[in-house]
Amino acid sequence: MKKTFLTAFITASAVLSLTAQNPAIDKRVDDLLKQMTLEEKVGQLNQYTGDWSSATGPITKDGDKQNQIRTGQIGSMLNVKGVAHTRQCQEMAMQSRLKIPLLFGQDVIHGYKTTFPIPLAEAASWDLDAIELGARIAAIEAAASGIHWTFAPMVDIGRDPRWGRVMEGAGEDPYLGSLIATARVKGFQGEKLGDITSVMACAKHFAAYGAAVGGRDYNSVDMSERMLWEVYLPPFKAALDAGAATFMNSFNDLNGIPATGSVFLQRDILKGLWGFKGFVVSDWGSIGEMVQHGFVKDGKDAALAAIVAGSDMDMESRCYKNNLADLVKENKVDIALVDDAVRRILYKKFEMGLFEDPYKYSNVKRQEAAMNNPEHTKAAREIGAKSIVLLKNENNVLPLSKETKTIAFIGPLVKEYKENLGFWSVELDEVDYDKFIVSQWDGLQNKVGKTSKLLYAKGCEIEGDDKSGFAEAISIANQADVVILSIGEKRDMSGEAKSRSDISLPGVQEELVKAIQAIGKPVVVLINAGRPLVFNWTADNVPAILYTWWLGSEAGNSIADVLFGDVNPSAKLPMTFPRSVGQIPIYHSYFNTGRPAKNENDLNYVSAYIDLPNSPKFPFGYGLSYTTFGYSDLKLSKKQINKGETIEVTARITNTGKYAGEEVVQLYLRDKVGSVVRPVKELKGFEKIKLNAGESKVVTFVIDNEKLSFYNQKLEFDSEPGEFDLMIGSSAEDIRLKSEFELL
């Protein structure tokens, strides 16, 4: 399959003018802007949800919503999908005085009809081409259904698995997260905006939402500017550099200032320093929520704070609609601020080609073809398999033989359908989910056919303390040659507003695992989740564990492909898995402290727990294969370099096992002495390579000044002379090759 398939009142002078992107579009925007009334301008900054669609926030009902479209009081709609609905709304917009088309937005997070693995699972693939492909197919299907704009990718760094929205991002690392942000933006937007298969991307949530205190959604964030610049902003800059059309601000306050009202984030950084030319949309109601924050006293003050800060479009709060025109008339808001916001939005509408043809994305035949493309299904299956992490495989229990006579498939998720979609899947009324989604049971049946006998028992529910199904499960397990257990979260246990203080396996599921393991049969556990979970007993006692996340509409087939070895697992964890909630936050690029523990038994007056090792249960970058890989022949082109020079690093990777497989070779660096302390290791490169049994390949990394640079005490991004440790390995904790070099 081809790859193409695979940022108080300010004056007007403080507004950064848009640099000409396309002079012809700029002129058309300026001409249209001159014709608009103040009320029509404010209308372009107003976004509503469709009352008849599935909402992603608290709906405010408007009896005259359709009339507001006809009178140019709405610039965008969300949760309106399908060519019939979008065309109907667009026809209303064409009845307005200036016939300015609507933008239709939708949370297309990991697929439209064809549902791909949740983003955190896709990140586990470390396969940038596959991630871009998933976004590309999602864009093709969404655009064919009348959608112009997706509220993705979420590029927040997530280091606290209690936060439910980690499922929507790329994990804990800014380097990996930046590359994935780039891939997703490219996938959504394709060759260029305005192409019939392109949708506008939206980098969210700007900024630092992933560091919410206590992992509690919508909560405050308090961090140093250096941490902000070094860890949390890089994926946003990467998304911008990749051409992201829009940004979304975040619900949280950052150091006491709600992001929606932050001049620092939106004007100083995003539109100022970074020169962002697209537009910023609020998150659902976040402008109005600044009242609850205690940052403003009412909706009118909220509108003032938001427009001054640089929030261009108001999603659902009505603060702009109800107050912005009055603020301009009262000389509290300079009209130039409004014009700047409107100009940014109109530019994108012209760029998307909506003025030439408001209905270009409303084609029934194209929708039908996109929704039923077998290549999309094939890609979902392949990407699903690439996203499965092999956590444990003692005694080579896996892969299973297709000649296995009897297999017991036990657990509350075996025969579920929609659970496999995970959170943030698009609800489509016309889809028969039981037929469209491949359950895990169906996937196994498809794989073994008549060669193996499949037995089933539910065992227990996902939640609750009912063990009445244990007896049947034990009986079924006793009849089998091998037992597969499918356990984990419900799909709505991870996602927005799904923070959990206890991230262990819900209900009595781990007790079910204990009961089945006690029988003595070979046991394989599948863990379905949207976040890292704590499952210490299972991890310590079960011989084979696959972390299957939520894999989407082809989940059953993807899982079966890996279980039986048709696909050799190659995924690596994009987040560190803790031993206990008490370790959170836990991540690989930590600071050493002045009293580091020498080992896990070193507990006296060092930075350690007295009741738990510092080390994670499963480290960042970890994931096994059915084969093994040897690392050798580390070579550096030079051991000393001057600033501006580069080092070429090579290492030989050999498949030392009996299966063909893929390995993610990871490069970590440590700046040993700095003007500010540096992490014990930082991911600075990786390469995913495929090797046949016995085959070797040389992997090459280039170390340049950017890889050696960091934000110093003055927040200057630069390198400093000194010694560096170089580490190459299979995970952050499994370092196979080491060397050092010096920057002069």
Side-chain angles (χ1 to χ4, degrees):
M1 188 180 296
K2 295 182 180 179
K3 178 182 175 182
T4 53
F5 227 67
L6 277 171
T7 156
F9 166 75
I10 61 175
T11 63
S13 61
V15 179
L16 270 153
S17 62
L18 289 168
T19 302
Q21 302 168 80
N22 182 320
I25 295 180
D26 282 335
K27 184 179 186 306
R28 296 180 71 183
V29 170
D30 288 339
D31 289 345
L32 180 56
L33 202 60
K34 291 172 184 176
Q35 301 175 52
M36 298 175 70
T37 65
L38 175 58
E39 288 70 22
E40 287 170 332
K41 291 176 180 178
V42 171
Q44 287 301 300
L45 313 185
N46 186 32
Q47 183 183 62
Y48 283 172
T49 187
D51 291 342
W52 54 86
S53 302
S54 298
T56 52
I59 290 179
T60 300
K61 295 285 186 178
D62 290 89
D64 64 344
K65 190 173 291 185
Q66 295 184 12
N67 186 58
Q68 290 180 55
I69 297 174
R70 295 186 181 99
T71 55
Q73 297 179 57
I74 301 175
S76 175
M77 299 286 290
L78 72 157
N79 295 322
V80 180
K81 50 192 180 290
V83 296
H85 278 147
T86 55
R87 188 178 188 94
Q88 181 184 23
C89 288
Q90 201 68 287
E91 287 172 347
M92 297 177 196
M94 291 303 101
Q95 298 173 40
S96 64
R97 186 179 73 91
L98 294 174
K99 296 179 171 52
I100 300 175
L102 293 167
L103 278 174
F104 295 109
Q106 184 68 38
D107 286 290
V108 183
I109 307 301
H110 55 109
Y112 190 72
K113 181 189 177 188
T114 305
T115 309
F116 291 88
I118 60 170
L120 188 62
E122 282 192 338
S125 76
W126 294 55
D127 190 322
L128 301 176
D129 289 344
I131 292 168
E132 181 176 339
L133 174 60
R136 183 86 289 272
I137 292 172
I140 291 169
E141 293 186 358
S145 298
I147 304 302
H148 310 135
W149 179 21
T150 175
F151 304 121
M154 192 196 89
V155 302
D156 298 304
I157 294 298
R159 294 180 165 181
D160 190 332
R162 295 172 298 180
W163 188 49
R165 297 195 81 160
V166 296
M167 58 76 55
E168 199 179 339
E172 72 184 47
D173 187 80
Y175 180 85
L176 178 61
S178 294
L179 293 175
I180 291 175
T182 297
R184 288 187 169 136
V185 169
K186 288 182 176 179
F188 285 130
Q189 297 190 170
E191 292 296 320
K192 66 174 183 177
L193 292 181
D195 284 352
I196 204 63
T197 62
S198 171
V199 295
M200 297 194 305
C202 183
K204 67 183 189 184
H205 307 83
F206 199 65
Y209 190 28
V213 173
R216 199 170 75 237
D217 214 350
Y218 316 120
N219 208 5
S220 297
V221 172
D222 192 15
M223 68 168 59
S224 70
E225 281 195 45
R226 188 163 70 86
M227 181 68 76
L228 176 70
W229 282 99
E230 197 157 274
V231 176
Y232 290 88
L233 289 183
F236 287 99
K237 182 59 164 60
L240 183 150
D241 290 343
T246 67
F247 268 54
M248 180 184 290
N249 54 44
S250 54
F251 287 116
N252 60 281
D253 69 86
L254 176 62
N255 301 334
I257 308 296
T260 309
S262 174
V263 174
F264 169 67
L265 286 174
Q266 295 172 103
R267 292 216 184 270
D268 294 351
I269 297 176
L270 182 59
K271 295 179 177 180
L273 183 65
W274 290 355
F276 177 59
K277 303 304 186 293
F279 69 86
V280 179
V281 62
S282 78
D283 208 335
W284 189 296
S286 69
I287 293 179
E289 288 175 13
M290 288 193 289
V291 177
Q292 291 294 95
H293 276 278
F295 187 66
V296 294
K297 68 177 181 179
D298 54 26
K300 190 170 186 178
D301 275 359
L304 172 60
I307 196 70
V308 167
S311 294
D312 300 309
M313 183 177 284
D314 177 4
M315 181 192 291
E316 274 292 310
S317 85
R318 277 82 170 155
C319 288
Y320 282 0
K321 175 184 180 297
N322 295 335
N323 301 288
L324 197 49
D326 287 342
L327 286 166
V328 172
K329 293 172 183 176
E330 295 165 6
N331 293 321
K332 293 179 180 178
V333 167
D334 195 305
I335 188 62
L337 290 174
V338 176
D339 286 351
D340 177 65
V342 176
R343 181 177 284 110
R344 291 169 179 269
I345 294 164
L346 291 177
Y347 190 100
K348 291 306 174 189
K349 292 185 177 184
F350 276 110
E351 193 173 20
M352 291 293 285
L354 296 176
F355 281 91
E356 281 71 27
D357 182 1
Y359 312 111
K360 65 182 289 187
Y361 294 89
S362 299
N363 184 293
V364 174
K365 290 183 178 179
R366 187 164 61 242
Q367 177 179 246
E368 173 107 11
M371 295 303 118
N372 296 284
N373 190 328
E375 290 297 310
H376 297 183
T377 303
K378 179 183 176 185
R381 181 172 183 165
E382 292 173 354
I383 296 172
K386 286 176 177 285
S387 303
I388 297 172
V389 186
L390 178 61
L391 294 180
K392 193 175 180 183
N393 193 24
E394 288 183 350
N395 303 317
N396 295 317
V397 171
L398 293 171
L400 300 177
S401 170
K402 294 176 186 173
E403 304 305 316
T404 304
K405 291 183 178 180
T406 307
I407 301 171
F409 205 0
I410 296 170
L413 291 159
V414 172
K415 291 191 173 183
E416 291 293 333
Y417 286 93
K418 288 188 72 173
E419 295 294 338
N420 292 290
L421 299 183
F423 203 80
W424 282 124
S425 60
V426 179
E427 297 290 337
L428 299 172
D429 297 335
E430 66 272 20
V431 172
D432 187 341
Y433 286 96
D434 290 358
K435 294 179 181 178
F436 175 63
I437 301 167
V438 181
S439 73
Q440 296 172 26
W441 176 260
D442 292 340
L444 230 63
Q445 283 192 317
N446 295 339
K447 182 63 64 177
V448 301
K450 297 180 180 179
T451 62
S452 300
K453 183 178 181 181
L454 295 184
L455 306 175
Y456 165 74
K458 190 172 188 178
C460 65
E461 301 293 338
I462 296 174
E463 298 178 284
D465 56 6
D466 184 3
K467 301 181 186 178
S468 61
F470 280 27
E472 181 191 12
I474 293 169
S475 174
I476 290 294
N478 272 315
Q479 301 173 45
D481 299 304
V482 64
V483 181
I484 305 171
L485 277 161
S486 184
I487 59 174
E489 296 183 311
K490 294 168 63 175
R491 66 190 286 247
D492 62 358
M493 283 182 169
S494 287
E496 184 176 353
K498 307 300 178 187
S499 301
R500 292 180 60 196
S501 64
D502 179 358
I503 56 171
S504 59
L505 287 162
V508 294
Q509 292 182 88
E510 196 154 41
E511 293 180 55
L512 176 64
V513 176
K514 293 177 183 179
I516 300 300
Q517 177 67 21
I519 295 171
K521 299 291 180 79
V523 174
V524 179
V525 169
L526 313 177
I527 299 181
N528 308 266
R531 53 156 61 87
L533 295 177
V534 173
F535 46 96
N536 291 319
W537 192 94
T538 298
D540 293 340
N541 294 278
V542 172
I545 304 170
L546 289 169
Y547 214 81
T548 56
W549 313 96
W550 292 119
L551 296 177
S553 47
E554 282 291 304
N557 286 331
S558 299
I559 290 169
D561 286 343
V562 170
L563 282 170
F564 289 93
D566 292 321
V567 175
N568 190 346
S570 61
K572 303 278 189 175
L573 297 178
M575 284 188 74
T576 302
F577 277 44
R579 298 174 183 271
S580 163
V581 170
Q583 285 184 303
I584 297 171
I586 183 170
Y587 45 89
H588 71 284
S589 56
Y590 59 91
F591 296 142
N592 207 35
T593 86
R595 293 187 178 186
K598 297 183 182 68
N599 54 58
E600 292 187 353
N601 297 315
D602 183 16
L603 304 178
N604 265 342
Y605 298 99
V606 295
S607 180
Y609 300 104
I610 62 172
D611 60 345
L612 194 72
N614 282 358
S615 61
K617 194 66 181 179
F618 298 104
F620 173 82
Y622 173 86
L624 303 176
S625 169
Y626 295 152
T627 192
T628 53
F629 299 95
Y631 287 57
S632 63
D633 299 337
L634 175 63
K635 297 177 182 178
L636 280 67
S637 62
K638 58 187 78 171
K639 286 295 192 81
Q640 291 183 325
I641 59 171
N642 293 302
K643 193 172 183 177
E645 296 180 342
T646 62
I647 297 177
E648 184 173 280
V649 181
T650 60
R652 182 174 297 276
I653 314 300
T654 303
N655 185 334
T656 55
K658 60 181 182 179
Y659 296 100
E662 292 181 287
E663 172 71 335
V664 180
V665 184
Q666 301 159 45
L667 170 70
Y668 296 89
L669 297 179
R670 181 184 184 185
D671 190 343
K672 297 172 73 171
V673 178
S675 59
V676 293
V677 295
R678 306 304 302 138
V680 296
K681 58 174 70 75
E682 295 179 274
L683 180 71
K684 291 296 183 178
F686 67 88
E687 186 172 340
K688 189 168 188 175
I689 59 171
K690 186 172 185 177
L691 296 171
N692 293 318
E695 184 182 5
S696 295
K697 284 185 181 178
V698 174
V699 173
T700 301
F701 297 104
V702 176
I703 298 173
D704 57 17
N705 192 65
E706 184 175 357
K707 283 185 167 61
L708 305 180
S709 297
F710 60 92
Y711 287 92
N712 61 24
Q713 295 181 47
K714 297 180 180 179
L715 292 180
E716 299 165 332
F717 186 72
D718 204 355
S719 60
E720 295 177 351
E723 296 178 341
F724 291 79
D725 288 333
L726 181 147
M727 298 156 276
I728 293 177
S730 188
S731 80
E733 297 295 319
D734 184 10
I735 301 300
R736 309 285 184 88
L737 302 171
K738 294 181 180 180
S739 187
E740 55 190 25
F741 61 90
E742 184 180 11
L743 176 64
L744 301 174

